[in-house]
Amino acid sequence: MSDPVEGEPRLGDLEGLERGALGGVRAAFLDHLSAERALADNTLAAYRRDLRRYVRYLGESGVSDLREVSSARIGAFLAALREGDEDHAPLSAASAGRALAAVRGLHRFAVREGWSQTDPAVEVTPPAPPMRLPKAVPLETVESLLVRAGPDEAPASDARTDLLALRDRALLELLYGTGARISEAVGLDVDDVADAVEATEQVGLVRFRGKGGRERLVPLGSHARRALGGYLTRARPTLAASGRGGAALFVNVRGGRLTRQGGWALLTAIAERAGVEGISPHTLRHSFATHLLDGGADIRVVQELLGHSSVTTTQVYTLVTVERLREVYASSHPRARR
């Protein structure tokens, strides 16, 4: 359910509203997204924040009815996002584009429901984000992180720090071994990896639930299988003794499901111990894709493994490998060096 700003009605009160009232349309749209579109919680929360700011901006500009909004007004809102103000830091092109997507959705919804006759947002284009190549780290750096995380299958003592080390190693092996997003990894249940860990074949399969509820099967190699097996056998039973985590694969120190923020925090701590800067769960995902392509994997296969709906998204990794080829050539070929 959406969380209206102060004084904003909920969906059940909309019949008494004047058509086009900003707060009411926002409330109805968020309820629509929550009930019918089944958006991920993080996506829905971002829509709420962006639209709350949009409605407030229009109100401060003297606009109280959605039918009064012009393309120029939406463009000015976009510019305000990029510039920032006393309460908000300037948004990047990507974040401003995300906010514009929420605004566009709101206006489309208003037209479809008959609360507005025109859609001024269609004429507003999002800012073009700068071309940034995904950051990947060498295999040696990944291996140093794994070593600092903890053992993969060595017997653990009853000390909680040793149990958590087994968990941390299993999580990092899974992230790098499958290219999973951190939200996908912490969202796994034990049953999602049980067949992969127990498989007699060299490579098992893990079932992930990705963006938009799409499911995909991703192979799990021997190193990750061994680390997960050690964690499931020696650490998880004790860590999950409270039962708070239910069927969750990765649990925290209180026995509840490990959160996305918790996964980030433990990886940051491991990176600090390894003396490596700029590491995030997505770094491991980027490294997974880049190392596969460097090893000769077909881009369509990498697309499927990453869960990208379009190969265009995956093609950015080919730019990384091409850049690496340039660096190797420039430093190695006798006629390329100065």
Side-chain angles (χ1 to χ4, degrees), residues 18 20 22 58 62-71 73 116 120:
E18 179 184 351
L22 291 173
L58 292 177
V63 178
S64 59
D65 192 305
L66 205 66
R67 293 167 295 182
E68 301 172 0
V69 180
S70 64
S71 298
R73 183 72 67 184
S116 179

Side-chain angles (χ1 to χ4, degrees), residues 239-258:
L239 294 175
S242 68
R244 293 180 180 180
L249 173 60
F250 294 109
V251 295
N252 57 32
V253 292
R254 296 176 299 279
R257 182 181 293 273
L258 184 68

Side-chain angles (χ1 to χ4, degrees), residues 313-324:
T313 309
T314 316
Q315 283 174 337
V316 68
Y317 292 102
T318 64
L319 299 178
V320 177
T321 58
V322 169
E323 187 64 27
R324 183 170 177 271

Side-chain angles (χ1 to χ4, degrees), residues 72-114:
R73 183 72 67 184
I74 297 175
F77 171 68
L78 192 61
L81 294 179
R82 298 283 279 143
E83 294 172 2
D85 55 35
E86 294 181 357
D87 300 320
H88 304 91
L91 292 187
S92 66
S95 296
R98 181 205 66 210
L100 179 59
V103 171
R104 282 176 162 176
L106 176 71
H107 282 279
R108 280 198 305 270
F109 176 78
V111 171
R112 189 171 67 247
E113 296 298 314

Side-chain angles (χ1 to χ4, degrees), residues 228-243:
L228 280 169
Y231 163 66
L232 287 171
T233 301
R234 301 182 178 90
R236 189 186 179 280
T238 301
L239 294 175
S242 68

Side-chain angles (χ1 to χ4, degrees), residues 287-312:
S287 301
F288 164 84
T290 303
H291 296 170
L292 279 175
L293 290 169
D294 284 345
D298 184 89
I299 191 171
R300 295 284 183 179
V301 174
V302 178
Q303 172 196 354
E304 184 68 23
L305 294 175
L306 291 174
H308 290 160
S309 58
S310 170
V311 73
T312 302

Side-chain angles (χ1 to χ4, degrees), residues 39-264:
L39 295 182
D41 290 343
N42 289 341
T43 303
L44 192 58
Y47 267 68
R48 286 183 180 131
R49 290 193 302 270
D50 293 335
L51 292 177
R52 182 185 297 116
R53 188 170 175 181
Y54 179 56
V55 169
R56 183 174 293 120
Y57 173 84
L58 292 177
E60 292 173 351
S61 302
V63 178
S64 59
D65 192 305
L66 205 66
R67 293 167 295 182
E68 301 172 0
V69 180
S70 64
S71 298
R73 183 72 67 184
I74 297 175
F77 171 68
L78 192 61
L81 294 179
R82 298 283 279 143
E83 294 172 2
D85 55 35
E86 294 181 357
D87 300 320
H88 304 91
L91 292 187
S92 66
S95 296
R98 181 205 66 210
L100 179 59
V103 171
R104 282 176 162 176
L106 176 71
H107 282 279
R108 280 198 305 270
F109 176 78
V111 171
R112 189 171 67 247
E113 296 298 314
W115 291 346
S116 179
Q117 298 301 312
T118 60
D119 182 356
V122 297
E123 301 177 15
V124 183
T125 57
M131 184 61 178
R132 292 187 300 177
L133 297 180
K135 178 184 177 182
V137 295
L139 176 60
E140 294 77 13
T141 300
V142 175
E143 290 177 336
S144 70
L145 292 171
L146 293 171
V147 169
R148 287 291 183 174
D152 56 359
E153 60 173 355
S157 71
D158 291 335
R160 189 161 293 268
T161 53
D162 291 338
L163 300 180
L164 292 174
L166 285 174
R167 180 204 63 184
D168 297 352
R169 176 63 178 264
L171 176 60
L172 264 64
E173 289 279 10
L174 179 81
L175 290 171
Y176 176 65
T178 64
R181 303 174 180 91
I182 185 62
S183 57
E184 295 172 340
V186 299
L188 287 172
D189 290 336
V190 173
D191 288 345
D192 294 323
V193 302
D195 291 342
V197 172
E198 298 169 5
T200 56
E201 296 83 358
Q202 183 177 359
V203 176
L205 293 172
V206 177
R207 184 180 302 276
F208 286 107
R209 290 172 289 276
K211 290 184 176 180
R214 293 188 299 268
E215 290 191 356
R216 71 183 188 280
L217 293 174
V218 179
L220 189 71
S222 59
H223 290 280
R225 289 173 61 190
R226 183 166 59 248
L228 280 169
Y231 163 66
L232 287 171
T233 301
R234 301 182 178 90
R236 189 186 179 280
T238 301
L239 294 175
S242 68
R244 293 180 180 180
L249 173 60
F250 294 109
V251 295
N252 57 32
V253 292
R254 296 176 299 279
R257 182 181 293 273
L258 184 68
T259 64
R260 178 174 174 272
Q261 293 80 2
W264 269 77

